[in-house]
Every structure is written in C-alpha cells, then in structure tokens.
Coordinates of all heavy atoms in Angstrom, one line a residue:
M1 N 9.1 119.8 100.5 CA 9.2 119.1 101.7 C 10.1 119.9 102.6 O 11.2 120.3 102.3 CB 9.8 117.7 101.4 CG 10.2 116.9 102.6 SD 10.9 115.3 102.1 CE 9.4 114.5 101.5
D2 N 9.6 120.1 103.8 CA 10.4 120.8 104.8 C 11.0 119.8 105.8 O 10.4 118.8 106.2 CB 9.5 121.8 105.6 CG 8.9 122.8 104.7 OD1 9.6 123.3 103.8 OD2 7.7 123.3 105.0
I3 N 12.2 120.2 106.3 CA 12.9 119.4 107.3 C 13.4 120.4 108.4 O 13.7 121.5 108.1 CB 14.1 118.6 106.7 CG1 15.1 119.5 106.0 CG2 13.6 117.6 105.7 CD1 16.4 118.8 105.5
E4 N 13.5 119.8 109.6 CA 14.1 120.5 110.7 C 15.0 119.6 111.5 O 14.6 118.5 111.8 CB 13.0 121.1 111.6 CG 12.2 122.2 111.0 CD 11.2 122.8 112.0 OE1 11.3 122.5 113.2 OE2 10.4 123.6 111.5
I5 N 16.2 120.1 111.8 CA 17.1 119.2 112.5 C 17.7 120.0 113.7 O 18.4 121.0 113.5 CB 18.3 118.8 111.6 CG1 17.8 118.2 110.3 CG2 19.3 118.0 112.3 CD1 18.7 118.2 109.2
P6 N 17.3 119.6 114.9 CA 17.8 120.4 116.1 C 19.3 120.0 116.3 O 19.7 119.0 116.0 CB 16.9 119.8 117.2 CG 16.4 118.5 116.7 CD 16.4 118.6 115.2
H7 N 20.0 121.0 116.9 CA 21.4 120.8 117.3 C 21.7 121.7 118.5 O 20.9 122.6 118.8 CB 22.3 121.0 116.1 CG 22.4 122.4 115.6 ND1 23.1 123.4 116.2 CD2 21.8 123.0 114.5 CE1 23.0 124.5 115.6 NE2 22.2 124.3 114.5
D8 N 22.8 121.5 119.1 CA 23.2 122.4 120.2 C 24.7 122.9 119.9 O 25.4 123.1 120.8 CB 23.2 121.7 121.5 CG 24.0 120.4 121.6 OD1 24.7 120.0 120.6 OD2 24.0 119.7 122.7
L9 N 25.0 123.1 118.6 CA 26.3 123.5 118.2 C 26.6 125.0 118.1 O 27.7 125.4 118.1 CB 26.6 122.8 116.9 CG 26.5 121.3 116.8 CD1 26.6 120.8 115.4 CD2 27.6 120.6 117.7
G10 N 25.5 125.7 117.9 CA 25.7 127.1 117.6 C 25.9 127.2 116.0 O 26.2 126.2 115.4
K11 N 25.6 128.4 115.5 CA 25.7 128.6 114.1 C 27.0 128.3 113.4 O 27.1 127.6 112.4 CB 25.3 130.0 113.7 CG 23.9 130.4 113.7 CD 23.7 131.8 113.1 CE 22.3 132.3 113.2 NZ 22.2 133.6 112.7
A12 N 28.1 128.8 114.0 CA 29.4 128.7 113.4 C 29.8 127.2 113.3 O 30.3 126.8 112.2 CB 30.4 129.5 114.2
E13 N 29.7 126.5 114.3 CA 30.1 125.1 114.3 C 29.2 124.2 113.4 O 29.6 123.4 112.7 CB 30.1 124.5 115.7 CG 30.5 123.0 115.8 CD 31.9 122.7 115.3 OE1 32.7 123.7 115.1 OE2 32.3 121.6 115.2
A14 N 27.9 124.5 113.4 CA 27.0 123.8 112.5 C 27.3 124.1 111.1 O 27.4 123.1 110.3 CB 25.5 124.2 112.8
R15 N 27.6 125.3 110.7 CA 28.1 125.6 109.3 C 29.4 124.9 109.0 O 29.5 124.4 107.9 CB 28.3 127.1 109.2 CG 27.1 128.0 108.9 CD 27.4 129.4 108.5 NE 28.4 130.0 109.4 CZ 28.0 130.8 110.4 NH1 26.8 131.1 110.7 NH2 29.0 131.4 111.2
R16 N 30.3 124.9 109.9 CA 31.6 124.3 109.7 C 31.4 122.8 109.4 O 32.0 122.2 108.5 CB 32.5 124.5 110.9 CG 34.0 124.0 110.6 CD 34.8 124.1 111.9 NE 34.4 123.1 112.8 CZ 34.8 121.8 112.7 NH1 35.4 121.3 111.7 NH2 34.4 120.9 113.6
R17 N 30.6 122.1 110.2 CA 30.4 120.7 110.0 C 29.6 120.4 108.7 O 29.9 119.4 108.1 CB 29.6 120.1 111.2 CG 30.4 120.1 112.5 CD 29.7 119.4 113.6 NE 30.5 119.5 114.9 CZ 30.2 118.8 115.9 NH1 29.3 117.9 115.9 NH2 30.9 119.0 117.0
I18 N 28.7 121.2 108.4 CA 28.0 121.0 107.1 C 29.0 121.2 106.0 O 29.0 120.3 105.1 CB 26.8 121.9 107.0 CG1 25.7 121.5 108.0 CG2 26.2 122.0 105.6 CD1 24.5 122.5 108.1
E19 N 29.7 122.2 106.0 CA 30.7 122.5 104.9 C 31.7 121.3 104.8 O 32.0 120.8 103.7 CB 31.5 123.8 105.2 CG 32.5 124.1 104.2 CD 31.8 124.6 102.9 OE1 30.7 125.2 102.9 OE2 32.5 124.4 101.8
A20 N 32.2 120.8 105.9 CA 33.1 119.7 105.9 C 32.5 118.4 105.4 O 33.2 117.5 104.8 CB 33.7 119.5 107.3
G21 N 31.2 118.2 105.6 CA 30.5 117.0 105.2 C 30.0 117.0 103.8 O 29.6 115.9 103.2
L22 N 30.0 118.1 103.1 CA 29.5 118.2 101.7 C 30.2 117.2 100.7 O 29.5 116.5 100.0 CB 29.6 119.6 101.2 CG 28.6 120.6 101.8 CD1 28.8 122.0 101.3 CD2 27.1 120.1 101.5
P23 N 31.6 117.1 100.8 CA 32.2 116.1 99.8 C 31.7 114.7 100.1 O 31.5 113.9 99.2 CB 33.7 116.3 100.1 CG 33.8 117.6 100.7 CD 32.6 117.9 101.5
K24 N 31.5 114.3 101.4 CA 31.1 113.0 101.7 C 29.6 112.8 101.2 O 29.3 111.7 100.7 CB 31.1 112.8 103.2 CG 32.5 112.8 103.8 CD 32.5 112.7 105.3 CE 33.8 113.1 105.8 NZ 33.8 113.3 107.3
L25 N 28.8 113.8 101.3 CA 27.4 113.7 100.9 C 27.4 113.4 99.4 O 26.6 112.6 98.9 CB 26.7 115.0 101.2 CG 25.3 115.2 100.6 CD1 24.3 114.1 101.2 CD2 24.8 116.6 100.8
E26 N 28.2 114.1 98.6 CA 28.1 113.9 97.1 C 28.5 112.5 96.8 O 27.9 111.9 95.8 CB 29.1 114.9 96.4 CG 28.9 114.8 94.9 CD 29.6 115.9 94.2 OE1 30.6 116.5 94.7 OE2 29.2 116.2 93.0
R27 N 29.4 111.9 97.5 CA 29.8 110.5 97.2 C 28.7 109.5 97.5 O 28.7 108.4 97.0 CB 31.0 110.1 98.0 CG 32.3 110.8 97.6 CD 33.5 110.1 98.2 NE 33.6 110.1 99.6 CZ 34.1 111.1 100.4 NH1 34.8 112.1 99.8 NH2 34.1 111.0 101.7
H28 N 27.7 109.9 98.3 CA 26.6 109.0 98.6 C 25.3 109.2 97.8 O 24.3 108.6 98.1 CB 26.3 109.1 100.1 CG 27.4 108.5 100.9 ND1 28.5 109.1 101.3 CD2 27.5 107.2 101.5 CE1 29.3 108.3 102.0 NE2 28.7 107.2 102.1
I29 N 25.3 110.1 96.9 CA 24.2 110.3 96.0 C 24.0 109.1 95.1 O 24.9 108.7 94.4 CB 24.3 111.6 95.2 CG1 24.4 112.8 96.2 CG2 23.1 111.8 94.2 CD1 24.7 114.1 95.5
P30 N 22.8 108.5 95.1 CA 22.6 107.3 94.3 C 22.6 107.6 92.8 O 22.5 108.7 92.4 CB 21.2 106.8 94.8 CG 20.7 107.8 95.8 CD 21.7 108.9 95.9
A31 N 22.8 106.5 92.1 CA 22.7 106.5 90.6 C 23.8 107.4 90.0 O 23.5 108.0 89.0 CB 21.3 106.8 90.2
G32 N 24.9 107.5 90.6 CA 26.0 108.4 90.0 C 25.7 109.8 89.9 O 26.1 110.5 89.1
G33 N 24.9 110.3 90.9 CA 24.4 111.7 90.9 C 25.6 112.6 91.3 O 26.7 112.2 91.6
A34 N 25.3 113.9 91.2 CA 26.2 115.0 91.5 C 25.5 116.0 92.3 O 24.3 116.1 92.4 CB 26.8 115.6 90.2
M35 N 26.3 116.9 92.9 CA 25.8 118.0 93.7 C 26.6 119.3 93.5 O 27.8 119.2 93.4 CB 25.9 117.6 95.2 CG 25.3 118.6 96.1 SD 25.7 118.2 97.9 CE 27.5 118.3 97.9
Q36 N 25.9 120.4 93.5 CA 26.5 121.7 93.6 C 26.0 122.4 94.8 O 24.8 122.3 95.1 CB 26.2 122.5 92.3 CG 26.8 122.0 91.1 CD 26.6 122.9 89.9 OE1 25.5 123.5 89.8 NE2 27.5 122.9 89.0
A37 N 26.9 123.0 95.6 CA 26.5 123.7 96.8 C 27.2 125.1 96.9 O 28.4 125.2 96.6 CB 26.8 122.9 98.0
T38 N 26.4 126.1 97.3 CA 26.9 127.4 97.4 C 26.2 128.1 98.6 O 25.0 128.0 98.8 CB 26.5 128.3 96.2 OG1 27.0 127.6 95.0 CG2 27.1 129.7 96.3
W39 N 27.1 128.7 99.4 CA 26.5 129.5 100.6 C 26.1 130.8 100.0 O 26.9 131.7 99.6 CB 27.6 129.7 101.6 CG 27.9 128.5 102.4 CD1 28.9 127.6 102.1 CD2 27.2 127.9 103.5 NE1 28.9 126.6 103.0 CE2 27.8 126.7 103.9 CE3 26.0 128.3 104.2 CZ2 27.4 125.9 104.9 CZ3 25.6 127.5 105.3 CH2 26.3 126.3 105.6
S40 N 24.8 131.0 99.8 CA 24.2 132.3 99.2 C 24.3 133.4 100.2 O 24.3 134.6 99.9 CB 22.8 132.1 98.7 OG 22.0 131.6 99.7
T41 N 24.2 133.1 101.5 CA 24.4 134.0 102.6 C 25.3 133.3 103.6 O 25.5 132.1 103.5 CB 23.1 134.5 103.3 OG1 22.5 133.4 104.0 CG2 22.1 135.1 102.2
Q42 N 25.6 134.0 104.7 CA 26.5 133.3 105.7 C 25.7 132.1 106.3 O 26.4 131.1 106.7 CB 26.8 134.3 106.8 CG 27.7 133.8 107.8 CD 28.2 134.8 108.8 OE1 27.8 136.0 108.8 NE2 29.0 134.5 109.8
D43 N 24.4 132.1 106.4 CA 23.7 131.1 107.1 C 22.8 130.3 106.1 O 21.9 129.5 106.6 CB 22.8 131.7 108.2 CG 23.7 132.4 109.2 OD1 24.8 131.9 109.5 OD2 23.2 133.5 109.7
Q44 N 22.9 130.5 104.8 CA 22.0 129.7 103.9 C 22.8 129.0 102.9 O 23.5 129.6 102.1 CB 21.0 130.7 103.3 CG 20.1 130.0 102.3 CD 19.0 130.9 101.8 OE1 18.3 131.5 102.5 NE2 18.9 131.0 100.5
L45 N 22.6 127.7 102.8 CA 23.3 126.9 101.8 C 22.3 126.5 100.8 O 21.2 125.9 101.1 CB 23.9 125.6 102.5 CG 24.6 124.6 101.6 CD1 25.8 125.2 101.0 CD2 24.9 123.4 102.3
D46 N 22.6 126.8 99.5 CA 21.7 126.4 98.4 C 22.4 125.2 97.7 O 23.6 125.4 97.3 CB 21.5 127.5 97.4 CG 20.6 128.6 98.1 OD1 19.7 128.3 98.8 OD2 20.9 129.8 97.9
M47 N 21.7 124.1 97.5 CA 22.3 123.0 96.8 C 21.4 122.6 95.6 O 20.2 122.8 95.7 CB 22.4 121.8 97.8 CG 23.4 122.0 98.9 SD 23.6 120.5 99.9 CE 22.0 120.3 100.7
E48 N 22.0 121.9 94.7 CA 21.3 121.2 93.6 C 21.9 119.8 93.5 O 23.1 119.7 93.3 CB 21.4 121.9 92.3 CG 20.7 123.2 92.2 CD 20.6 123.8 90.8 OE1 21.4 123.4 89.9 OE2 19.8 124.7 90.5
I49 N 21.0 118.9 93.8 CA 21.4 117.5 93.7 C 20.8 116.9 92.3 O 19.6 117.0 92.1 CB 20.8 116.7 94.9 CG1 21.4 117.2 96.2 CG2 21.2 115.2 94.7 CD1 20.8 116.6 97.4
S50 N 21.7 116.4 91.5 CA 21.3 115.9 90.2 C 21.4 114.4 90.3 O 22.4 113.8 90.7 CB 22.2 116.4 89.1 OG 22.1 117.8 89.1
A51 N 20.3 113.7 89.9 CA 20.3 112.2 89.9 C 19.1 111.8 89.0 O 18.1 112.4 88.9 CB 20.0 111.7 91.3
M52 N 19.4 110.7 88.3 CA 18.4 110.1 87.4 C 17.8 111.2 86.4 O 16.6 111.2 86.2 CB 17.2 109.5 88.2 CG 17.7 108.4 89.1 SD 16.4 107.5 90.1 CE 16.2 108.7 91.4
G53 N 18.7 112.0 85.9 CA 18.2 113.0 84.9 C 17.4 114.2 85.5 O 16.8 114.9 84.7
Q54 N 17.3 114.3 86.8 CA 16.5 115.3 87.4 C 17.4 116.1 88.4 O 18.4 115.6 88.9 CB 15.4 114.7 88.3 CG 14.4 113.8 87.5 CD 13.5 114.7 86.6 OE1 13.0 115.7 87.0 NE2 13.5 114.3 85.3
T55 N 17.0 117.4 88.6 CA 17.7 118.2 89.5 C 16.8 118.5 90.7 O 15.6 118.9 90.5 CB 18.1 119.5 88.9 OG1 19.0 119.2 87.8 CG2 18.8 120.5 89.8
I56 N 17.3 118.4 91.9 CA 16.5 118.6 93.2 C 17.1 119.7 93.9 O 18.2 119.6 94.5 CB 16.6 117.3 94.0 CG1 16.0 116.1 93.2 CG2 15.8 117.5 95.3 CD1 16.4 114.8 93.8
P57 N 16.4 120.9 93.9 CA 16.9 122.0 94.7 C 16.7 121.8 96.2 O 15.7 121.3 96.6 CB 16.1 123.2 94.2 CG 15.4 122.7 93.0 CD 15.3 121.2 93.1
V58 N 17.8 122.1 97.0 CA 17.7 122.0 98.4 C 18.2 123.3 99.0 O 19.2 123.8 98.6 CB 18.6 120.8 98.9 CG1 18.6 120.8 100.5 CG2 18.1 119.5 98.3
R59 N 17.5 123.8 100.0 CA 18.0 125.0 100.7 C 18.0 124.7 102.2 O 17.1 124.2 102.8 CB 17.0 126.2 100.5 CG 17.4 127.4 101.3 CD 16.6 128.6 100.9 NE 17.2 129.1 99.6 CZ 16.5 129.8 98.7 NH1 15.3 130.2 99.0 NH2 17.1 130.2 97.6
L60 N 19.2 124.9 102.8 CA 19.4 124.7 104.3 C 19.7 126.1 104.9 O 20.5 126.8 104.4 CB 20.5 123.8 104.6 CG 20.4 122.3 104.0 CD1 21.6 121.5 104.4 CD2 19.1 121.7 104.6
Q61 N 19.0 126.4 106.0 CA 19.2 127.6 106.8 C 19.7 127.2 108.1 O 19.1 126.4 108.8 CB 18.0 128.5 106.8 CG 17.6 129.0 105.5 CD 16.4 129.9 105.6 OE1 15.3 129.4 105.9 NE2 16.5 131.2 105.3
V62 N 20.9 127.7 108.5 CA 21.5 127.4 109.8 C 21.1 128.4 110.9 O 21.3 129.6 110.7 CB 23.0 127.3 109.7 CG1 23.7 127.0 111.0 CG2 23.4 126.3 108.6
F63 N 20.5 127.9 111.9 CA 20.2 128.8 113.1 C 21.0 128.3 114.3 O 21.6 127.3 114.3 CB 18.7 128.6 113.4 CG 17.8 129.2 112.3 CD1 17.3 128.3 111.3 CD2 17.4 130.5 112.2 CE1 16.6 128.8 110.2 CE2 16.7 131.0 111.2 CZ 16.2 130.1 110.2
D64 N 20.9 129.1 115.4 CA 21.7 128.7 116.6 C 21.4 127.3 117.1 O 22.3 126.7 117.6 CB 21.5 129.8 117.7 CG 22.1 131.1 117.4 OD1 23.2 131.1 116.7 OD2 21.5 132.1 117.8
N65 N 20.2 126.9 117.0 CA 19.8 125.6 117.6 C 19.1 124.6 116.7 O 18.7 123.6 117.1 CB 19.0 125.8 118.9 CG 17.6 126.5 118.5 OD1 17.4 126.9 117.3 ND2 16.8 126.6 119.5
Q66 N 19.1 124.9 115.4 CA 18.5 124.0 114.4 C 18.9 124.4 113.0 O 19.4 125.5 112.7 CB 17.0 124.0 114.5 CG 16.3 125.2 114.1 CD 14.8 125.1 114.1 OE1 14.2 124.0 114.0 NE2 14.1 126.2 114.4
V67 N 18.8 123.4 112.1 CA 18.9 123.6 110.7 C 17.6 123.4 110.1 O 17.0 122.3 110.4 CB 20.0 122.7 110.1 CG1 20.0 122.8 108.6 CG2 21.4 123.0 110.6
R68 N 17.1 124.3 109.3 CA 15.8 124.2 108.6 C 16.1 124.1 107.1 O 17.0 124.8 106.6 CB 14.9 125.3 108.9 CG 14.3 125.4 110.2 CD 13.2 126.5 110.3 NE 13.2 127.0 111.7 CZ 13.0 128.2 112.0 NH1 12.7 129.1 111.1 NH2 12.9 128.6 113.3
G69 N 15.3 123.2 106.5 CA 15.6 123.1 105.1 C 14.3 122.8 104.3 O 13.3 122.4 104.8
T70 N 14.4 123.0 103.0 CA 13.4 122.7 102.0 C 14.0 121.9 100.9 O 15.1 122.2 100.5 CB 12.7 123.9 101.4 OG1 13.6 124.7 100.8 CG2 11.9 124.7 102.5
V71 N 13.3 120.8 100.5 CA 13.7 120.0 99.4 C 12.6 120.0 98.4 O 11.5 119.7 98.7 CB 13.9 118.5 99.9 CG1 14.4 117.6 98.8 CG2 14.9 118.4 101.1
A72 N 12.9 120.6 97.2 CA 11.9 120.7 96.2 C 12.0 119.6 95.2 O 12.8 119.6 94.3 CB 12.1 122.1 95.5
V73 N 11.2 118.5 95.4 CA 11.3 117.3 94.6 C 10.5 117.6 93.3 O 9.3 117.9 93.4 CB 10.7 116.1 95.4 CG1 10.8 114.9 94.5 CG2 11.5 115.9 96.7
P74 N 11.1 117.4 92.2 CA 10.4 117.6 90.9 C 9.3 116.6 90.7 O 9.3 115.5 91.2 CB 11.5 117.4 89.8 CG 12.8 117.2 90.5 CD 12.5 117.0 92.0
M75 N 8.4 116.9 89.9 CA 7.2 116.1 89.6 C 7.6 114.7 89.2 O 7.0 113.7 89.7 CB 6.3 116.7 88.5 CG 5.0 116.0 88.3 SD 4.0 116.0 89.8 CE 3.3 117.6 89.8
M76 N 8.6 114.5 88.4 CA 9.0 113.2 87.9 C 9.5 112.3 89.0 O 9.5 111.1 88.9 CB 10.1 113.3 86.8 CG 9.6 114.0 85.5 SD 8.3 113.1 84.7 CE 9.3 111.7 84.1
L77 N 9.9 112.9 90.1 CA 10.4 112.1 91.2 C 9.5 112.1 92.5 O 9.9 111.7 93.5 CB 11.8 112.6 91.6 CG 12.9 112.5 90.6 CD1 14.2 113.1 91.1 CD2 13.2 111.0 90.3
R78 N 8.3 112.6 92.3 CA 7.3 112.7 93.5 C 7.2 111.4 94.2 O 7.0 111.3 95.4 CB 6.0 113.2 93.0 CG 6.0 114.7 92.7 CD 6.2 115.5 93.9 NE 6.7 116.8 93.5 CZ 6.2 117.9 94.0 NH1 5.3 117.9 94.9 NH2 6.7 119.1 93.5
M79 N 7.1 110.3 93.5 CA 7.0 109.0 94.2 C 8.2 108.6 95.0 O 8.1 107.8 95.9 CB 6.7 107.9 93.1 CG 7.8 107.5 92.3 SD 7.4 106.1 91.2 CE 7.9 106.7 89.7
M80 N 9.3 109.3 94.8 CA 10.5 109.1 95.6 C 10.7 110.3 96.6 O 11.7 110.3 97.2 CB 11.7 109.1 94.7 CG 11.7 108.0 93.6 SD 12.1 106.4 94.3 CE 13.7 106.7 94.8
A81 N 9.7 111.1 96.8 CA 9.8 112.3 97.7 C 10.2 111.9 99.1 O 11.1 112.5 99.7 CB 8.6 113.1 97.7
G82 N 9.6 110.9 99.7 CA 9.9 110.4 101.0 C 11.4 110.0 101.2 O 12.1 110.5 102.0
P83 N 11.9 109.1 100.3 CA 13.3 108.7 100.4 C 14.2 109.8 100.1 O 15.3 109.9 100.8 CB 13.4 107.5 99.4 CG 12.0 107.0 99.3 CD 11.1 108.2 99.5
I84 N 13.9 110.7 99.2 CA 14.8 111.8 98.9 C 14.9 112.7 100.1 O 16.0 113.1 100.5 CB 14.3 112.5 97.6 CG1 14.5 111.7 96.4 CG2 15.1 113.9 97.5 CD1 13.9 112.2 95.2
G85 N 13.8 113.1 100.7 CA 13.8 114.0 101.9 C 14.5 113.3 103.0 O 15.3 114.0 103.7
D86 N 14.3 112.0 103.2 CA 15.0 111.3 104.3 C 16.5 111.3 104.1 O 17.3 111.4 105.0 CB 14.5 109.8 104.4 CG 13.1 109.7 104.9 OD1 12.5 110.7 105.5 OD2 12.4 108.7 104.7
F87 N 16.9 111.1 102.8 CA 18.3 111.1 102.5 C 19.0 112.5 102.9 O 20.0 112.5 103.5 CB 18.5 110.9 101.0 CG 20.0 111.0 100.5 CD1 20.9 110.1 100.8 CD2 20.3 112.2 99.8 CE1 22.2 110.3 100.4 CE2 21.6 112.4 99.4 CZ 22.6 111.4 99.7
V88 N 18.3 113.6 102.5 CA 18.8 114.9 102.8 C 18.9 115.1 104.3 O 19.9 115.5 104.9 CB 18.0 116.0 102.1 CG1 18.4 117.4 102.6 CG2 18.2 115.9 100.6
K89 N 17.8 114.8 105.0 CA 17.7 115.0 106.5 C 18.7 114.1 107.2 O 19.5 114.6 108.1 CB 16.3 114.7 107.0 CG 16.1 114.9 108.5 CD 14.7 114.8 108.9 CE 14.6 115.2 110.4 NZ 13.2 115.1 110.8
T90 N 18.8 112.8 106.8 CA 19.8 111.9 107.5 C 21.2 112.4 107.3 O 22.0 112.3 108.2 CB 19.6 110.5 107.0 OG1 18.2 110.1 107.3 CG2 20.5 109.5 107.6
S91 N 21.5 112.8 106.0 CA 22.8 113.3 105.7 C 23.2 114.5 106.5 O 24.3 114.6 107.1 CB 22.9 113.6 104.2 OG 22.7 112.4 103.4
A92 N 22.3 115.4 106.7 CA 22.5 116.6 107.5 C 22.7 116.3 108.9 O 23.6 116.8 109.6 CB 21.4 117.7 107.3
Q93 N 21.9 115.4 109.4 CA 22.0 114.9 110.8 C 23.4 114.3 111.1 O 24.0 114.6 112.1 CB 20.9 113.9 111.2 CG 19.6 114.5 111.3 CD 18.5 113.5 111.5 OE1 18.5 112.4 110.9 NE2 17.5 113.8 112.3
K94 N 23.9 113.5 110.1 CA 25.2 112.9 110.3 C 26.3 114.0 110.3 O 27.2 113.9 111.1 CB 25.5 111.9 109.2 CG 24.7 110.6 109.3 CD 24.9 109.7 108.1 CE 24.1 108.4 108.3 NZ 24.3 107.5 107.1
M95 N 26.2 114.9 109.4 CA 27.2 116.0 109.3 C 27.2 116.8 110.6 O 28.3 117.1 111.1 CB 26.9 117.0 108.2 CG 27.2 116.4 106.8 SD 27.1 117.6 105.5 CE 25.4 117.3 104.9
L96 N 26.1 117.0 111.2 CA 26.0 117.8 112.5 C 26.5 117.0 113.7 O 27.0 117.6 114.6 CB 24.6 118.3 112.7 CG 24.1 119.4 111.7 CD1 22.6 119.6 111.9 CD2 24.9 120.7 111.9
S97 N 26.3 115.7 113.6 CA 26.7 114.9 114.8 C 28.1 114.5 114.9 O 28.6 114.1 115.9 CB 25.8 113.6 114.8 OG 26.2 112.8 113.7
K98 N 28.9 114.6 113.8 CA 30.3 114.2 113.8 C 31.2 115.4 113.6 O 31.1 116.2 112.7 CB 30.5 113.3 112.6 CG 29.8 112.0 112.7 CD 30.0 111.1 111.5 CE 29.2 109.9 111.6 NZ 29.3 109.1 110.3
P99 N 32.1 115.6 114.6 CA 33.1 116.7 114.4 C 33.9 116.4 113.1 O 34.3 115.2 112.9 CB 33.9 116.6 115.6 CG 33.3 115.6 116.5 CD 32.3 114.9 115.8
A100 N 34.2 117.4 112.3 CA 35.0 117.2 111.1 C 36.4 117.6 111.3 O 36.7 118.4 112.1 CB 34.3 117.9 110.0

C-alpha cells in the first residue's frame, strides 16, 4: 500500500517532526504492539510495526514537499490493510502538522 502526504516544511523540518513523533506513534499502536524505527539514509525511515503476532514493514521517504511511504501488510492482516494504512498515514500527517 502506497501513501503520499504533502507538506510545506522542507526536508529537514519534516524529518525532525517525524523523529519527534515516533515515541507518540508507538504508544498508539493497537493491541499492545511495538515499533522499531531506523533512518537507513538521511531521508528514508524504515519501521517495523509489530501487532497481533504480525510484523508490518513501513518505509517513509522524506522529500522537500511530501512524504511518500509504503506499508507492506502481511497476508494474515490483508483484511485490515485499509485501517492499517490509514493509521500510518494519519499518524504521519499528525507528526508533520504539529511542531515538536
């Protein structure tokens, strides 16, 4: 599942806000889930969200005027793909909209 989130923050501020929002994101993962996040490059965040015994890989790429991402929903969670993608997109939108 692909997501795109426009912003007018520039890369550095978008990265800063995403980084600052990661601890809050983990607290909102349903079913006692957990998250690991690593900046694999200066502009690419790789995450693994674990919930309900499944791991969901997420990759976010930060650009000057948008954040693009992919959410790889495992087969066992395909029926939840829409809500999972919406959770990731909404969370990223909130991180970008609030100064940290």
Side-chain angles (χ1 to χ4, degrees):
M1 170 178 293
D2 295 328
I3 59 174
E4 292 186 11
I5 305 159
H7 66 79
D8 59 359
L9 303 170
K11 279 186 186 182
E13 180 63 10
R15 277 192 310 267
R16 188 187 73 75
R17 290 187 187 194
I18 289 170
E19 183 71 30
L22 289 175
K24 296 173 194 169
L25 172 64
E26 186 168 24
R27 289 193 302 265
H28 288 83
I29 296 172
M35 178 190 67
Q36 292 183 329
T38 304
W39 290 95
S40 57
T41 70
Q42 185 176 359
D43 299 324
Q44 181 174 302
L45 179 65
D46 293 320
M47 297 187 290
E48 286 189 346
I49 299 172
S50 301
M52 299 182 280
Q54 299 291 311
T55 300
I56 304 163
V58 177
R59 174 170 286 161
L60 297 178
Q61 293 180 295
V62 180
F63 296 92
D64 288 327
N65 62 354
Q66 70 177 328
V67 173
R68 288 188 208 145
T70 57
V71 181
V73 180
M75 186 61 77
M76 295 293 291
L77 295 176
R78 288 292 161 132
M79 69 176 132
M80 301 281 298
I84 291 168
D86 290 345
F87 171 76
V88 172
K89 184 173 183 176
T90 299
S91 297
Q93 288 171 325
K94 287 179 183 178
M95 286 188 264
L96 292 170
S97 69
K98 296 178 184 175

